[in-house]
Amino acid sequence: PLVILISIYHAFEVPTSCTESAINGTACCNFLYNQCAHAAGETIFNCTHAVVGNSTQGQIINLTMRKCGLNGTIPDAITELPFLTVFDLGSNFITGSIPEDIGNLGIKGSG
């Protein structure tokens, strides 16, 4: 029998639920979780959100998406997460340049 192996890669996106003025941390993390192609025993996914500072909504403070089968570029919208202190996209297929404002990550948190 002929076996065809297909690798599924997902473009990395940051949804508006992560960056809008009324951030919904649960919706954001759920969207990101569903982008991840989970490989048993290999994929590491951690999206943590919490109410921090003067915010009233859950701000994303940790985003780890290792071995999620992500491809493409890091979206500029990632720089709109001012409380993100841990950001790890290791072992994916990310290409292109790093967003110019990447230094803004964690600017309002401890990062």
Side-chain angles (χ1 to χ4, degrees), residues 12-13 15 28-36 45 63 65:
F12 179 42
E13 298 176 50
C28 174
C29 288
N30 287 339
F31 181 95
L32 294 168
Y33 178 85
N34 289 326
Q35 276 190 88
C36 194
F45 179 88
L63 180 58
M65 298 176 76

Side-chain angles (χ1 to χ4, degrees), residues 16-24 54-59 80:
T16 57
S17 58
C18 296
T19 60
E20 57 196 9
S21 59
I23 292 173
N24 183 331
N54 293 327
S55 70
T56 58
Q57 301 293 320
Q59 299 284 335
E80 296 176 31

Side-chain angles (χ1 to χ4, degrees), residues 68-80:
C68 279
L70 299 174
N71 72 0
T73 61
I74 298 172
D76 289 335
I78 199 72
T79 64
E80 296 176 31

Side-chain angles (χ1 to χ4, degrees), residues 31-111:
F31 181 95
L32 294 168
Y33 178 85
N34 289 326
Q35 276 190 88
C36 194
H38 299 273
E42 292 187 20
T43 300
I44 299 171
F45 179 88
N46 183 5
C47 183
T48 307
H49 58 93
V51 175
V52 293
N54 293 327
S55 70
T56 58
Q57 301 293 320
Q59 299 284 335
I60 306 302
I61 56 175
N62 177 339
L63 180 58
T64 300
M65 298 176 76
R66 293 182 62 78
K67 292 190 176 184
C68 279
L70 299 174
N71 72 0
T73 61
I74 298 172
D76 289 335
I78 199 72
T79 64
E80 296 176 31
L81 302 175
F83 292 94
L84 184 64
T85 56
V86 175
F87 180 54
D88 183 352
L89 296 177
S91 300
N92 283 291
F93 304 94
I94 303 297
T95 60
S97 55
I98 296 172
E100 190 173 306
D101 294 332
I102 199 80
N104 290 340
L105 289 179
I107 203 163
K108 291 186 179 178
S110 61

